[in-house]
Amino acid sequence: MGVVTRSTAPETDLGQPRRPGPPAPGPRSGGPWVVAAAVTILLLIMAPRYGYHRDELYFLLAGRHLDWGYVDQGPMVPALARLIDTIAPDSLLALRTPSALLAGTAVLMVAAIARQFGAGRGGQTLAAALGGASGITLASGHLLSTTTVDLVVWLAAALCTVRLLRTGDSRWALAVGAVLGLGMLNKLLPALLAVGLLAGLAIAGPRRLLRDRTVLLAAGIFALLAAPTLLWQATHGFPQLGVAATISGGDSSYSGRLDAAILQFLIISPFVVPIWSTGLFVLLRRPAWRRYRSLGWAWLAVVGVVLLAGGKGYYPAPLLLVLTAAGAVVAARWAQHGRARARRVLLAAVVVLTAASNTVLLLPTLPVDRLPGFVVAVNYDTGETIGWPAFTDSLAAVHRRLPADEQARAMILTGNYGEAGAVARYGPQRGLPAAYSGHNSMADFGRPPDDADVVIAVGWQQPQQLRTWFTEVTLAGQVDQRVAVDNDENGGPIWLCRGLRRPWADIWATEVRHSG
């Protein structure tokens, strides 16, 4: 009797061997949901502490002048700020609730990316914990911020890209194009991610995707959704290029090439560097991760562009969370072998140290009147959430000393949009006149009346520029925020200016306007 042999390879209906399918994602886990809820609740508890950030005050003003674009951003966050302020006026908790929810969403996305990489339940929970404790998640989730929206946009696009690379189904590119296109209504940074993803595909493949019709359709969807913001920028002379040039010159927070390079090792947490470095290594070098290699190159490409262009160091942070998700998969598997208990304790210590340090440094956990100087030194944004009512009181003290006829025609000129936003928020109940500023889109929100020849100016450390606009400039006071905090306003001079040399129309657009 003959022996009949059968191939062990699975067969199709035509009897041909099937090609091996993509590795299955890990099992679903409830752990990330618990972590996401904890992060969101923590952020909601912390939301009303301290005060408005300068950018939030600016968003509230921009929301009163809705447009398809602004000098430094798209319309999404100003529109959201206006909506929230209409529903719950002057509520800091309400204003920051969307960011807390977005931060929780980011945690779930980091875990979902790890699951697509093959993480089990423990690996997914570890990825969620590292993502939730990370500096970029906590810092951006505390404030109403374009950064928070960018974080979720980049992670959503990365998650869709991972699914595209895992399955080979190019229809996921449509989701990538839609997410990035909608993200352009927030900032132009999704275009940077698109460049990074395309560079990764060109370097590491699969290059066929660069010629795929569905991917080309996705590019069209991206362009269509981004069109309103891009058209606004084009019709206004691309003012965001001027903002980018200012950032590149180091005249903005978190900018400068050296600072941007160092921030890559700090923005998640120094304790997590070994994990995301491992993630980068396996993406670039391990054969089993070959299909995802373009993501490692995408991060390298984005960091390279940021360093060459002098962008802000936190721009690539969402991709660092993708590397962290990959590293969490490896770390979770590592913790199952050898001295497993000791390894798990080590990973738990990394999570605890990351969460504890970032909570103290990035969230308003300490009493504002006993805030150590190193907190503001590490986290510039903390200082910019302190003392705005007292700042406005300092201006009101100068205004009250003016003669009645000068009070009637006085106005306030500020050096930055946060100061103008503080006057808009706290000035009316203190009897202050309107504030104007040439900072970014504030210059487009209106210039002072032609007869405003008595000006209280703040935000200029030296009076030289003011003296080119006024015949008389005298020191009238000093900002006292009543706490020992080293921020951009505290202790700054307040100038009283009289005798306008030229009409406001002549100097506003060319001399007062500035970006950064």
Side-chain angles (χ1 to χ4, degrees):
M1 180 182 293
V3 177
V4 178
T5 59
R6 292 174 179 260
S7 170
T8 58
E11 293 183 347
T12 66
D13 293 339
L14 298 177
Q16 298 297 321
R18 287 190 180 131
R19 294 180 179 178
R28 296 186 183 278
S29 171
W33 289 90
V34 175
V35 176
V39 169
T40 298
I41 291 170
L42 172 65
L43 291 171
L44 290 174
I45 291 172
M46 293 293 178
R49 291 175 60 84
Y50 294 6
Y52 290 91
H53 187 270
R54 68 161 68 246
D55 289 354
E56 293 172 319
L57 294 167
Y58 176 43
F59 296 145
L60 290 168
L61 281 178
R64 300 177 186 178
H65 302 82
L66 290 178
D67 204 341
W68 280 107
Y70 300 88
V71 167
D72 47 355
Q73 63 191 305
M76 187 179 293
V77 172
L80 180 60
R82 177 167 178 171
L83 175 63
I84 296 170
D85 197 48
T86 301
I87 296 172
D90 302 330
S91 171
L92 199 54
L93 174 60
L95 189 69
R96 291 175 174 172
T97 293
S99 292
L101 296 173
L102 287 173
T105 302
V107 171
L108 294 175
M109 287 183 174
V110 174
I113 291 170
R115 177 174 177 265
Q116 292 298 313
F117 284 149
R121 291 184 176 90
Q124 293 171 49
T125 302
L126 175 61
L130 292 172
S134 70
I136 184 62
T137 302
L138 293 179
S140 65
H142 174 57
L143 308 172
L144 179 66
S145 169
T146 56
T147 304
T148 323
V149 177
D150 263 338
L151 176 64
V152 173
V153 167
W154 282 48
L155 287 175
L159 175 58
C160 294
T161 301
V162 170
R163 298 204 67 166
L164 165 62
L165 296 173
R166 185 181 68 79
T167 64
D169 186 349
S170 60
R171 287 175 295 182
W172 282 104
L174 300 177
V176 175
V179 168
L180 294 180
L182 289 172
M184 293 284 282
L185 296 175
N186 173 59
K187 295 278 277 190
L188 300 186
L189 288 177
L192 175 60
L193 176 57
V195 169
L197 293 175
L198 291 173
L201 289 174
I203 295 169
R207 296 185 183 89
R208 63 172 180 79
L209 290 174
L210 299 175
R211 303 184 300 274
D212 190 287
R213 291 182 180 179
T214 306
V215 175
L216 296 177
L217 177 59
I221 293 173
F222 169 82
L224 180 65
L225 293 174
T229 295
L230 293 177
L231 286 173
W232 188 94
Q233 287 285 327
T235 56
H236 290 77
F238 282 99
Q240 198 149 13
L241 295 178
V243 176
T246 301
I247 293 172
S248 178
D251 296 330
S252 183
S253 60
Y254 307 111
S255 62
R257 291 175 177 83
L258 179 59
D259 289 346
I262 294 174
L263 196 59
Q264 304 311 303
F265 300 94
L266 302 176
I267 197 163
I268 303 297
S269 168
F271 302 112
V272 183
V273 171
I275 293 178
W276 69 252
S277 297
T278 299
L280 178 62
F281 174 80
V282 298
L283 286 173
L284 295 179
R285 303 297 300 170
R286 289 280 178 86
W289 293 73
R290 176 69 180 82
R291 68 175 65 245
Y292 305 118
R293 189 159 295 171
S294 61
L295 290 171
W297 283 105
W299 178 76
L300 291 171
V302 169
V303 170
V305 171
V306 168
L307 294 180
L308 287 173
K312 295 193 176 186
Y314 60 77
Y315 291 168
L319 285 180
L320 272 179
L321 288 178
V322 176
L323 303 184
T324 301
V329 177
V330 179
R333 292 172 180 169
W334 170 79
Q336 295 174 355
H337 302 285
R339 307 176 79 175
R341 178 174 296 180
R343 293 182 178 190
R344 289 170 184 166
V345 169
L346 179 59
L347 288 180
V350 169
V351 173
V352 170
L353 289 171
T354 298
S357 59
N358 283 337
T359 297
V360 171
L361 291 173
L362 304 177
L363 297 180
T365 54
L366 302 175
V368 68
D369 57 346
R370 295 194 296 275
L371 188 66
F374 72 84
V375 172
V376 177
V378 171
N379 180 21
Y380 163 84
D381 285 331
T382 295
E384 296 308 314
T385 62
I386 295 172
W388 290 115
F391 164 83
T392 315
D393 287 337
S394 299
L395 298 178
V398 174
H399 183 254
R400 284 194 299 269
R401 292 197 297 267
L402 294 177
D405 63 318
E406 290 192 341
Q407 285 188 26
R409 67 178 193 273
M411 50 80 69
I412 296 172
L413 184 66
T414 73
N416 66 60
Y417 54 59
E419 296 160 348
V423 174
R425 168 67 180 84
Y426 300 106
Q429 57 265 48
R430 291 165 172 78
L432 284 176
Y436 300 86
S437 179
H439 189 199
N440 288 2
S441 280
M442 284 296 305
D444 301 317
F445 297 164
R447 65 172 186 261
D450 292 339
D451 62 348
D453 60 347
V454 178
V455 173
I456 299 170
V458 65
W460 282 265
Q461 290 298 318
Q462 300 297 328
Q464 285 84 346
Q465 186 176 37
L466 295 172
R467 285 174 176 153
T468 66
W469 302 332
F470 302 95
T471 59
E472 179 185 341
V473 178
T474 57
L475 183 64
Q478 188 178 51
V479 174
D480 180 9
Q481 295 184 310
R482 297 195 286 273
V483 290
V485 59
D486 183 17
N487 60 21
D488 288 354
E489 280 69 41
N490 207 15
I494 302 173
W495 307 97
L496 182 59
C497 309
R498 296 182 175 93
L500 193 63
R501 294 182 183 273
R502 287 169 288 146
W504 284 111
D506 291 349
I507 66 174
W508 191 252
T510 57
E511 298 179 40
V512 179
R513 177 189 290 274
H514 62 283
S515 60

